[in-house]
Amino acid sequence: MPMKFTKFAFASLTILFLVAPLIAILPLAFTSSVILTYPIPSWSLRWFEELFTADAWRRAIVNSFIIGTGTTLLATVLGTAASLGLRNRLIFFRGTIRTLFLLPMVVPAVVLGVGMQVLLGGFGLTNSYAGVIIAHTVVAVPFVVVSVSGALAGIDRRVELAAESLGASPITVFRRVTLPLAMPGVLSGAVLAFATSLDEVVLTLFVAGPNQRTLARQMFSSIRENISPAIAAAAFLFITVTVVIGLIVILSNVMRARRR
Amino acid sequence: MTDFIRFDRINKFYGPLCVVENLDLGIAKGEFVSLLGPSGSGKTTLLMMLAGFERTTSGTILLDGTAINDVPTYKRDMGIVFQSYALFPHMSVGENVAFPLQMRGMGKTEIAERVAKALDMVQLSAYAERRPSQLSGGQQQRVALSRALVFEPRVVLMDEPLGALDKQLREQMQLDIRDLHRRLGLTIVFVTHDQSEALTMSDRVAVFNKGKIEQIGTPRQVYDEPATRFVAEFIGETNLVEGVVESLQGQEATVRLPSGAQIVSAVSATVSAGQSVYVSIRPERVDLTEIRGDQLNCLEAEVTDSVYQGDHLRVQLHNPSHPLIAKLGRRSREFSPGTKVFAAFSSGDCRVIAP
């Protein structure tokens, strides 16, 4: 019994430790005060209004959406293609190539950022949406590769062989069998890619111009300029969007599993 | 008779490892041929090459007179049943069976009609809307079977299709598949490592060992007239007795055992006088008597153990040259250990095999 209690207490404390920053910031989104501090004098939605009307914030939200969508599409397509390719046992140094794909996860973002600025500058892509999307894609692809590879590993190779023997060309096998079976992995990869892009600050600082200011970048700069509770409102928006997307994926996977 | 399927000098190497060696095999239209052998004997590899999943290192595979080496799997028109069922988990049973028909661009009404018929054939009409995971193993394999037959393929390939099922179900499915083969006139190539399955179902059995066919023939031929020691030991149980050929008389040979006793036996292989050989004696062909009978072959022996196994009595014997096993019908009397007996069998009940 005491052991059980200790475990429970430890787990609760760990969770509290992880979500404490969120608990600290989220209520401030609803403050009526002009400064980002406790206590909250009275509740208000004024900062959400500010978020959606102030030009800088509105553009940041739109930019985040554009760049997030672009990154998701590009990273999902590239990551899925890479995972499919990495299934082929005949590829030399398959393990090494796989590690290379995952490298952006561990390389310091600052280093990537500097490299990216030099490289994209050479192509004239700094200060452009394309440039930011490319930069975000580099760090988002590993998440897609991990998630899609996992889904592909769960597919019985003989199911694809059976489809081929029944008259399906390789493209049809992919469209009708492999892709539908890997879909849960592709979807969660896409969500992770979107979340990565939404959250990314360092590369954006190096690559984006004033016109590509994303929500995360805007929060970063505004917290130094003026500590307005609009940041808390933006954070709230952030969390909500992430949680909603996460729930959609979980729900669709549950529904899919139930249909089987 | 021209062969419908013809393997012509097939070789298959994985790097330096030879899996199939210079193999020739012809299969007639409408024939049920089993490829039987232990794992690693090349039988599955040969099936995979016929299906188009593996390429031959050298040699030609002909289907109805046309070389198909370079024809991709999806154009070969072969139905394949795997041990793991390999059903599409994201489609219903009906959609699974409809898949090959959709691939052939058939109209919706015709597909519905054919799917209904194919599911009816395996008694699964009531399950069309279910997902494969909601069915038992035997039901899933029947879905796989109807999916492989619904498009009337030119050849049906089966890779240990009953391996994952329990014994009773497996025996039922063996008879079902044999029945389908006869009714529909299918050409079936069936891979298995289970000798009784191969004997039950096939028109002919090809016994594989180390990438080669040791013997091919009807179930009766491979069981009663094994050509090699491997075949005699792999198919069924047998007593292998070593000896030296003394003389040959037409289709029979006289073999002297180390104990001095003689066996007169039918001959499967080409042997010459003076050669050391094995004689294969099936345990169920051996009779035990307490007085020397009038049968040609009569070996003195002593009972060491006797086990009642329900449908037969299994008696272990010690003979000056070799231990022997006899399987006696259930009406046989008991033999207690220590009893002196004669193991008797006719010359047609044993075979001389080259070592």
Side-chain angles (χ1 to χ4, degrees):
Chain A
M1 189 59 198
M3 188 60 194
K4 214 170 185 182
F5 174 78
T6 318
K7 274 185 188 168
F8 181 77
F10 184 71
S12 308
L13 281 174
T14 310
I15 291 171
L16 187 69
F17 173 72
L18 291 174
V19 298
L22 297 182
I23 295 171
I25 187 81
L26 290 184
L28 286 173
F30 298 94
T31 184
S32 60
S33 160
V34 291
I35 43 169
L36 191 67
T37 51
Y38 286 100
I40 294 167
S42 69
W43 302 101
S44 148
L45 290 174
R46 64 180 286 197
W47 297 112
F48 283 96
E49 210 181 307
E50 160 97 13
L51 206 58
F52 290 109
T53 50
D55 210 35
W57 283 110
R58 233 179 46 203
R59 284 195 53 186
I61 292 172
V62 171
N63 279 342
S64 265
F65 184 74
I66 294 172
I67 291 165
T69 310
T71 303
T72 305
L73 289 176
L74 192 59
T76 307
V77 169
L78 292 179
T80 304
S83 312
L84 285 169
L86 286 171
R87 278 216 296 175
N88 190 340
R89 292 217 182 81
L90 298 178
I91 290 182
F92 290 108
F93 308 119
R94 190 161 66 131
T96 315
I97 294 176
R98 208 185 137 71
T99 312
L100 280 177
F101 271 109
L102 303 185
L103 216 51
M105 270 179 164
V106 289
V107 169
V110 180
V111 177
L112 267 182
V114 174
M116 207 77 83
Q117 192 181 40
V118 172
L119 192 69
L120 291 175
F123 290 106
L125 283 174
T126 41
N127 305 342
S128 74
Y129 282 106
V132 184
I133 289 175
I134 289 171
H136 284 189
T137 298
V138 169
V139 286
V141 157
F143 292 98
V144 180
V145 168
V146 167
S147 151
V148 176
S149 293
L152 288 176
I155 299 177
D156 178 2
R157 224 27 210 279
R158 302 205 167 232
V159 170
E160 293 166 280
L161 296 182
E164 208 187 332
S165 77
L166 296 169
S169 62
I171 292 166
T172 314
V173 174
F174 175 71
R175 207 168 44 80
R176 294 282 311 269
V177 179
T178 316
L179 192 57
L181 287 177
M183 207 31 121
V186 175
L187 282 182
S188 48
V191 168
L192 288 172
F194 191 83
T196 307
S197 166
L198 209 58
D199 181 47
E200 160 52 44
V201 178
V202 180
L203 291 178
T204 316
L205 280 173
F206 278 101
V207 176
N211 285 331
Q212 290 88 39
R213 224 165 230 217
T214 60
L215 195 54
R217 167 83 172 80
Q218 174 66 19
M219 285 170 77
F220 183 73
S221 51
S222 73
I223 201 156
R224 285 188 309 179
E225 289 156 16
N226 59 330
I227 307 179
S228 110
I231 288 178
F236 188 86
L237 190 68
F238 235 105
I239 301 282
T240 315
V241 170
T242 316
V243 168
V244 166
I245 295 176
L247 281 180
I248 290 173
V249 169
I250 291 170
L251 268 180
S252 76
N253 280 353
V254 166
M255 304 254 280
R256 199 180 284 270
R258 195 166 295 167
R259 268 194 295 133
R260 283 204 188 149
Chain B
M1 185 176 62
T2 54
D3 294 317
F4 186 56
I5 302 167
R6 166 105 234 136
F7 294 95
D8 189 22
R9 278 165 293 148
I10 303 293
N11 281 288
K12 176 69 182 176
F13 287 86
Y14 289 122
L17 184 72
C18 180
V19 200
V20 173
E21 191 181 342
N22 207 22
L23 185 139
D24 284 309
L25 174 63
I27 294 168
K29 200 178 174 89
E31 198 178 18
F32 192 132
V33 172
S34 287
L35 312 183
L36 173 67
S39 53
S41 61
K43 58 191 195 304
T44 300
T45 307
L46 192 73
L47 194 81
M48 293 297 123
M49 289 192 284
L50 181 56
F53 298 141
E54 297 273 358
R55 294 192 64 87
T56 57
T57 306
S58 71
T60 316
I61 302 174
L62 297 155
L63 179 65
D64 209 3
T66 319
I68 55 167
N69 293 39
D70 294 323
V71 177
T73 300
Y74 67 98
K75 289 183 184 161
R76 288 194 184 190
D77 207 23
M78 294 180 181
I80 303 178
V81 182
F82 293 100
Q83 177 174 0
S84 56
Y85 321 133
L87 295 174
F88 307 129
H90 57 302
M91 298 183 198
S92 72
V93 166
E95 286 165 345
N96 263 280
V97 180
F99 187 86
L101 304 177
Q102 288 166 355
M103 292 302 114
R104 284 160 179 77
M106 247 174 228
K108 275 208 172 98
T109 43
E110 196 187 350
I111 290 181
E113 220 169 88
R114 289 239 215 160
V115 168
K117 229 169 101 185
L119 284 177
D120 188 46
M121 181 178 72
V122 292
Q123 293 107 44
L124 284 175
S125 305
Y127 297 84
E129 303 300 321
R130 302 265 187 105
R131 297 266 154 185
S133 59
Q134 296 172 307
L135 304 184
S136 71
Q139 288 170 331
Q140 289 189 48
Q141 196 56 295
R142 266 146 62 201
V143 175
L145 193 61
S146 82
R147 186 181 67 177
L149 298 181
V150 69
F151 61 103
E152 290 165 11
R154 294 204 280 178
V155 185
V156 181
L157 311 182
M158 302 195 182
D159 185 14
E160 308 244 1
L162 310 179
L165 307 178
D166 61 52
K167 188 169 179 287
Q168 208 175 355
L169 197 56
R170 196 161 66 220
E171 286 170 359
Q172 182 55 47
M173 288 281 289
Q174 287 172 5
L175 299 178
D176 287 350
I177 293 174
R178 198 169 73 147
D179 183 52
L180 281 174
H181 165 245
R182 287 190 187 152
R183 259 181 24 225
L184 307 177
L186 304 167
T187 308
I188 298 182
V189 185
F190 189 101
V191 163
T192 181
H193 65 268
D194 179 342
Q195 38 104 3
S196 83
E197 189 164 284
L199 296 180
T200 307
M201 305 176 75
S202 331
D203 294 324
R204 280 194 301 157
V205 180
V207 185
F208 275 68
N209 184 29
K210 294 179 183 158
K212 288 180 177 172
I213 294 179
E214 292 257 338
Q215 186 176 3
I216 179 159
T218 63
R220 201 169 274 279
Q221 283 169 340
V222 292
Y223 187 83
D224 288 345
E225 302 159 23
T228 67
R229 180 180 175 178
F230 178 83
V231 175
E233 283 186 316
F234 191 75
I235 299 184
E237 195 182 12
T238 199
N239 293 298
L240 275 185
V241 179
E242 233 178 319
V244 179
V245 177
E246 271 202 342
S247 62
L248 286 158
Q249 311 89 32
Q251 293 302 302
E252 290 187 344
T254 306
V255 178
R256 182 167 296 280
L257 307 188
S259 64
Q262 278 186 349
I263 294 179
V264 179
S265 164
V267 178
S268 272
T270 42
V271 292
S272 49
Q275 194 181 346
S276 13
V277 291
Y278 287 100
V279 181
S280 157
I281 312 158
R282 295 289 183 193
E284 73 277 7
R285 301 288 173 84
V286 177
D287 255 344
L288 296 187
T289 55
E290 266 179 277
I291 45 165
R292 183 179 281 275
D294 51 2
Q295 264 166 306
L296 200 50
N297 298 315
C298 232
L299 302 177
E300 262 181 85
E302 185 185 322
V303 175
T304 53
D305 197 8
S306 144
V307 185
Y308 178 68
Q309 296 199 314
D311 59 342
H312 70 268
L313 184 71
R314 185 187 170 86
V315 183
Q316 281 182 30
L317 303 164
H318 181 75
N319 155 287
S321 310
H322 297 274
L324 284 174
I325 290 167
K327 282 187 189 171
L328 305 174
R330 55 161 318 208
R331 288 201 187 80
S332 158
R333 50 166 286 225
E334 294 281 342
F335 288 91
S336 48
T339 316
K340 303 267 187 214
V341 292
F342 291 97
F345 46 93
S346 78
S347 64
D349 287 334
C350 49
R351 278 282 128 187
V352 169
I353 292 167

